[in-house]
Amino acid sequence: MMKYILFTFLLISLSFTPKNSREEGSSENTKLTIKGFAGSKIDQCISARIVGRDVDMLIAPFKLKDETRCWQMEFWGKWMLSAVDAWKYNHDPELLVKMKAAVDGLIATQLPNGYIGNYSPEKQLTGWDIWGRKYCLLGLLKYYEISSDKTALDAAAKSADYLIGQVGPEKTDIISTGFYRGMASTSILEPIVYLYNHTQNHRYLDFAKYIVVRWESEGGPRLISKALAGVAVKDRFPVPENWWSWENSQKAYEMMSCYDGLLELYKITKNPDYLKAVIATADNIMATEINIAGSGSAFECWYGTSEKQIQPTYHTMETCVTTTWMKLCNKLLAITGDVKYADQIEKTFYNALMASMKYDASEIAKYSPLEGARIEGENQCSMPINCCNANGPRGFVMIPEYAAKPFENGVYLNYYGPMEVKLNHEKAKEISIRVESNYPESANIRIYVSTEKPTDFQVNLRIPAWSTITKVKVIDETVSEVRPGTYCSISRTWKKGDFIDLELDMKGRVIELHNYQAIQMGPLVLARDSRFADGYVDEAGVIQQKDGFVELTPLTEKPDHVWLAFSAPLVLGTDLEGEGKNPKSIRFCDFASAGNTWDHSTRYRVWIPKTLNVMNRKYEGY
């Protein structure tokens, strides 16, 4: 088998000419290896969820073309997108062979009229048809970007041309197709813009502009005007009588996918309202929807997650929403340079996303609630897969691209776990960065910065908003005015052997909401877990704190499949007589590890009900 892979890889390599992007932050200019626990989880995900995927199974529905309502088409595209990013990270020859076979297999199903899909002719433009075509276009175009394989670009263009012949002025209105006020269908905006970028064919740019115009039509989702007017994402339209319907405008995944496309169109047109609309929406999502673990939604829709996150909720924190939120933040980070988006990605990765993957990477959950038990999602569309275990890997393979971003004057560092980075850069033939740490378990991080010859450039360190007191030293020189929620810019002549010492404020923080309490440490959310056998995890209590901070003691003895564990002092229950009033040492683990047996024998909980003490005039806990 290995001889076959190597031979096939050689054949592919003869015609494989990677594109060299000069775009700031481009991973084509970066070689990066993430180590430590998080790095092992990324590697696990790539091996089990991407390399290990049966691509023939993903292609099979395209051969039948008898679908009337389901979304099998997206599975191929989601896999290809994750495979491309995984290959950019590790350049695995086996994966390259698999991608080539997947592209060739898909193109073999394309009809002479250009249609790539599995819907029957009479059902095209209904259900999830255009949504699925979107993912096929994205997969083909992303593969083309790393391979220069023109057959992939030509197939994408033919597919888009066929769609443009079906919808548009004096044809079928794209808003009337599919679900969620046309958001599912019009999210095809993103690959249409990519196609214009690759071909410079103004037909695609015109079609992209048509989509945006139709958003603002009567009945459309009004994604620009309502955002600019400050309307919350949960309130854009009345809650529909039929949840899974065209009328529902709160669908989180589809809405953010549309804004992904709008950002790509903004890069071309520079229309300021496009960027303002996306920023306003993202700000509203951060303020009202993203919970303590970095995700949101219930039944896949916005509902005011932030205020309601303490309440047990059906089908909350869908992994498709988690991954798409990370993707939207990553695009906004690249365009705006605003560190708040980098903070959001970190929080979501370490908590909601890592919690979604089973300890052996054999499954990715559909939902990862803040309390309960971890469970596998159901299979969808009569296939051994669902939307979330197809989409989750995209979040994991996003981290290497997010971790270190080169720009004209230097590099931005967003990730502080152990890693090695080599950047090809205009100011130095190669910049080498090595991060030594066991972050986020520890606050102390050393960053070695080396160049082949002394070179002037800037290193920008992300200072998380939660790090109130941060210390930065370059060799023995202290950097002043280090502020949370900004990049700390260090400009100097760098040479081999230089290093930066970064110490973040990793004290345990007590978060309170509606008489509930939770603990955060750095980017991590902590949770009680029944495997610790230190009491009833749903019991009320009061976390013992001072000025909003709690003393956390690291633990070395942990249950299986637990990454980090700590003890914290709590007064439990409602008994203040005798021993009841004395704080007890209660054990917590990181949220990603909580419930990691993936069965109902383990129960976990993030938000602790705070016992009421009515002698306190403010009704605060004891």
Side-chain angles (χ1 to χ4, degrees), residues 39-53:
S40 71
K41 292 289 130 180
I42 293 171
D43 292 342
Q44 256 188 322
C45 183
I46 291 172
S47 176
R49 312 302 308 167
I50 300 174
V51 176
R53 177 62 72 192

Side-chain angles (χ1 to χ4, degrees), residues 49 53-54 57-58 75 363 378-386 389:
R49 312 302 308 167
R53 177 62 72 192
D54 178 3
M57 176 269 292
L58 302 178
F75 300 144
E363 184 64 42
E378 81 283 2
N379 290 335
Q380 293 176 338
C381 308
S382 302
M383 297 177 71
I385 193 172
N386 65 49
N389 56 39

